[in-house]
Amino acid sequence: MWATCLAVLVLLCIITWPLAAQLGQSLPGDYGDPLFVTWVMGWVNGRIIDGAFQGFWDANIFFPERHTLAYSESFIGQSLMVLPVYWFTQNAILSYNVAFILTFVLTGASTFLFTRALVGSVVGAMVAVIVATFNEYRLVWSLAHLHTLSLHWWLFALFSLHRYFVTDRRRYLVATAASLVALHLSSVYYTAYCAPLFVVFALAEAIRSGRWRTGRVWLELWATAAVVTISISPFLLPYMAVQQRLGVERSIAELNAATLDHWAAVLPGLSAPLVLAPIGLVGAVFIHRLRYAMALTLVMLALAFWLSLGVEVRRGGVVLDWPGLYTVLYRYVPGFTALGVPHRYASMVFLFSGVATAIGLAAIEWRSRRAAQVVAVLALLVFLKHSVPSPIMLNFAWPSPDLVNPAPAYLTPHNALPTIYQAVDSLRPTAVLAELPFGDHWYDLRYMYFSAMHRRQLLNGYSGIFPPSYLARQRVLARPLLDPGASAQALAGATHVVVHRAAWTDDTGARVSAWLEQFGATLIAEADEAALYELPVRENYAKRRLRRDVRSRRRDPR
């Protein structure tokens, strides 16, 4: 297994180069979700290091909303994995990249253990590792989604449960429970999406081992399920509270599912599994130990593929008269109406495609080990050629309409606070910050990244859910000078404002600063064409303007 981990690490460094040489300053993918996750991990690890668990779920975005950490994945599992790195370096980008690397290494290790245990072939398990770890879905569609890359805990749970049925040792049930809890802490989506397939796997293992007739086994399984449920409940309740308070629900039209066209497009990358899987199917007829593995793999593969298509199965933009299996989960399982990306079942499709490939190689290996090794090398070359993008994307900055692209240099994510945020860092801990431009996602993400270091509350924010209070502010503050009165009211709750004057393509930044000073804001710091203002004690803007007009008339009676 250690050789597998090393091989995955080396291959990952090659595929994602030059990331390995820039772990402390570059992010794989773009400045979208990876930047969001660095903020989350910075918030989580900062609270853990400080021992400040009160208000843990009230992250410093969308002030004054509560449970804002539960508006998206909490990434507690990934944060704990890299806690020592963050503790000693205080480098959120380095911590993210270490977590990113670990998802590949651990996915490789867990795939190897699971496939070798199920199929009994080391050569086949190695190929399954590459298919499951370096497929097109992970390297293109999920490269920027750390939680979607974190499938490994589910694989460790499958392996541990398999070992329990083989050995009848309860320690493997303990390992299964621990893996499922870690899965939930790493990805709420996978907790939900993997659950149906995990139940199918558990039933298949109970039937294969003949232990489904044993009452003690069912008691132990139910006890394990109870322990897992109780353990994850404190981490699940904030999500339930957010869903109930905000009425979070995805309509069928909002579900982001794979289509038959998507799967047709990735067929070249699946050419090696498509060739070797039929060999495994034929081999399973003659090799007794492969029959169960092939049957289970085909069932799991079919279920994952069907679920990935969502509620409506589409081809060429047309809804086909083919029922979507995901409909059952969407309509009858609590919580699934809040989950909007069935295409994430593609991770499991590639996983079991790798297992099917391993079965095909095991069938060849049964006749000739050398032939299996040669075929494995050829299969890997073909697979990687079609699956690995070149070059891998690093630090891609999404353009912002009506604003400067790229953003001003001081807003580029790095491990030191820009001068303007050093001034923010000196403010009282209870300060609440609004940053302008307001409401542009790609700028808000940069503000959030630096807020993980200065830790002041923000009116700004970005997440999987946008609360009504933020959306109302966004409508006004996106162009604050169109209605100065409404904009002043929208800043209610903030004690300070940062104006990034260089973010606009015209003189809007200077005019916004003048507007803030007009209704009493005090300039307290300037740097890099950014200005930090302290707002006056809040009162009705219209009354303040009326008093100012009265004073003006008194000075000039005309």
Side-chain angles (χ1 to χ4, degrees):
M1 186 184 73
W2 297 110
T4 301
C5 293
L6 180 60
V8 169
L9 180 60
V10 171
L11 187 56
L12 178 65
C13 289
I14 294 172
I15 290 173
T16 60
W17 187 263
L19 179 63
Q22 305 171 9
L23 292 178
Q25 62 263 18
S26 290
L27 288 170
D30 53 37
Y31 284 153
D33 278 8
L35 206 55
F36 172 78
V37 178
T38 58
W39 165 78
V40 175
M41 294 173 66
W43 171 265
V44 170
N45 280 334
R47 304 295 283 191
I48 293 173
I49 292 171
D50 294 342
F53 296 106
Q54 185 176 0
F56 177 85
W57 291 95
D58 299 328
N60 63 333
I61 57 173
F62 299 138
F63 181 86
E65 297 291 336
R66 297 197 59 214
H67 297 138
T68 48
L69 189 63
Y71 284 12
S72 185
E73 299 280 5
S74 66
F75 296 95
I76 295 173
Q78 294 90 339
S79 299
L80 290 174
M81 283 197 307
V82 299
L83 180 60
V85 177
Y86 187 83
W87 197 328
F88 286 110
T89 68
Q90 295 295 303
N91 189 329
I93 292 178
L94 176 62
S95 300
Y96 176 91
N97 283 326
V98 172
F100 174 80
I101 291 169
L102 285 175
T103 62
F104 281 84
V105 173
L106 292 175
T107 298
S110 56
T111 301
F112 179 83
L113 290 173
F114 174 68
T115 307
R116 184 182 62 176
L118 195 65
V119 178
S121 169
V122 173
V123 174
M126 287 294 293
V127 174
V129 165
I130 303 303
V131 174
T133 308
F134 294 103
N135 56 72
E136 186 176 356
Y137 183 73
R138 287 172 65 89
L139 294 177
V140 178
W141 300 104
S142 298
L143 184 72
H145 302 136
L146 192 65
H147 54 304
T148 308
L149 298 174
S150 302
L151 187 64
H152 46 274
W153 293 119
W154 184 57
L155 295 172
F156 280 127
L158 294 180
F159 169 71
S160 300
L161 188 62
H162 172 77
R163 293 298 297 162
Y164 165 73
F165 280 107
V166 170
T167 65
D168 197 26
R169 294 179 179 175
R170 295 185 183 90
R171 69 184 185 187
Y172 287 112
L173 276 184
V174 174
T176 301
S179 298
L180 292 175
V181 172
L183 175 67
H184 179 76
L185 295 180
S186 301
S187 176
V188 175
Y189 267 100
Y190 274 155
T191 300
Y193 284 171
C194 292
L197 296 181
F198 188 80
V199 171
V200 172
F201 179 80
L203 292 174
E205 285 287 285
I207 294 171
R208 178 195 60 81
S209 63
R211 298 177 61 202
W212 63 275
R213 304 182 185 88
T214 306
R216 175 182 61 82
V217 170
W218 290 108
L219 286 175
E220 291 175 351
L221 290 174
W222 279 111
T224 302
V227 168
V228 171
T229 302
I230 293 171
S231 299
I232 69 174
S233 291
F235 305 96
L236 188 60
L237 292 176
Y239 288 94
M240 297 173 63
V242 168
Q243 184 178 5
Q244 292 174 1
R245 186 173 73 250
L246 299 181
V248 180
E249 184 171 317
R250 311 281 186 181
S251 67
I252 292 177
E254 293 176 306
L255 295 182
N256 193 354
T259 67
L260 295 178
D261 303 290
H262 291 143
W263 282 115
V266 301
L267 283 180
L270 287 170
S271 54
L274 288 173
V275 170
L276 289 172
I279 295 175
L281 185 60
V282 174
V285 176
F286 301 99
I287 306 171
H288 182 269
R289 65 182 176 84
L290 296 181
R291 293 174 188 170
Y292 167 75
M294 179 53 78
L296 176 64
T297 299
L298 290 178
V299 170
M300 300 288 271
L301 182 62
L303 290 175
F305 171 75
W306 196 0
L307 287 167
S308 75
L309 300 175
V311 173
E312 297 175 338
V313 180
R314 294 177 177 269
R315 185 181 64 185
V318 177
V319 178
L320 302 182
D321 189 18
W322 183 9
L325 183 59
Y326 191 81
T327 306
V328 178
L329 302 178
Y330 180 80
R331 291 180 178 174
Y332 303 111
V333 180
F336 269 80
T337 54
L339 305 177
V341 280
H343 68 70
R344 287 179 180 159
Y345 277 105
S347 288
M348 287 153 259
V349 173
F350 279 100
L351 164 66
F352 287 104
S353 295
V355 176
T357 304
I359 295 172
L361 287 168
I364 297 173
E365 191 176 20
W366 184 63
R367 299 300 300 269
S368 171
R369 182 176 180 83
R370 179 59 59 86
Q373 293 172 343
V374 171
V375 172
V377 172
L378 293 175
L380 289 180
L381 291 175
V382 172
F383 177 79
L384 291 174
K385 180 181 183 298
H386 288 288
S387 298
V388 176
S390 181
I392 211 79
M393 185 169 61
L394 296 179
N395 302 326
F396 179 76
W398 292 95
S400 298
D402 304 323
L403 296 175
V404 168
N405 294 294
Y410 68 91
L411 286 175
T412 301
H414 53 280
N415 193 39
L417 276 174
T419 305
I420 194 65
Y421 287 121
Q422 292 176 23
V424 171
D425 193 44
S426 67
L427 300 176
R428 61 184 183 274
T430 56
V432 179
L433 200 64
E435 302 202 44
L436 304 175
F438 188 101
D440 180 90
H441 296 332
W442 313 123
Y443 272 81
D444 279 348
L445 281 164
R446 294 168 188 260
Y447 309 154
M448 289 167 59
Y449 170 79
F450 290 112
S451 79
M453 289 185 260
H454 65 66
R455 301 190 186 182
R456 298 309 185 271
Q457 294 284 339
L458 297 178
L459 293 188
N460 308 70
Y462 175 90
S463 194
I465 300 170
F466 294 92
S469 61
Y470 169 83
L471 295 176
R473 284 192 176 97
Q474 184 187 40
R475 285 192 291 270
V476 176
L477 291 177
R479 291 177 174 81
L481 299 180
L482 290 181
D483 189 343
S487 297
Q489 293 298 326
L491 290 175
T495 61
H496 295 78
V497 176
V498 172
V499 181
H500 300 279
R501 294 168 178 164
W504 285 275
T505 57
D506 54 19
D507 66 341
T508 299
R511 291 190 291 119
V512 168
S513 289
W515 162 66
L516 287 171
E517 293 171 2
Q518 186 179 14
F519 77 85
T522 303
L523 178 66
I524 59 177
E526 283 185 292
D528 299 318
E529 296 188 75
L532 173 62
Y533 290 91
E534 183 175 7
L535 295 177
V537 176
R538 295 297 304 168
E539 61 177 304
N540 186 278
Y541 178 78
K543 290 181 179 179
R544 189 186 308 113
R545 185 174 182 178
L546 177 62
R547 286 201 306 272
R548 187 171 62 249
D549 291 342
V550 170
R551 287 195 299 269
S552 177
R553 285 196 296 271
R554 286 174 179 173
R555 286 193 300 268
D556 186 1
R558 292 175 298 176

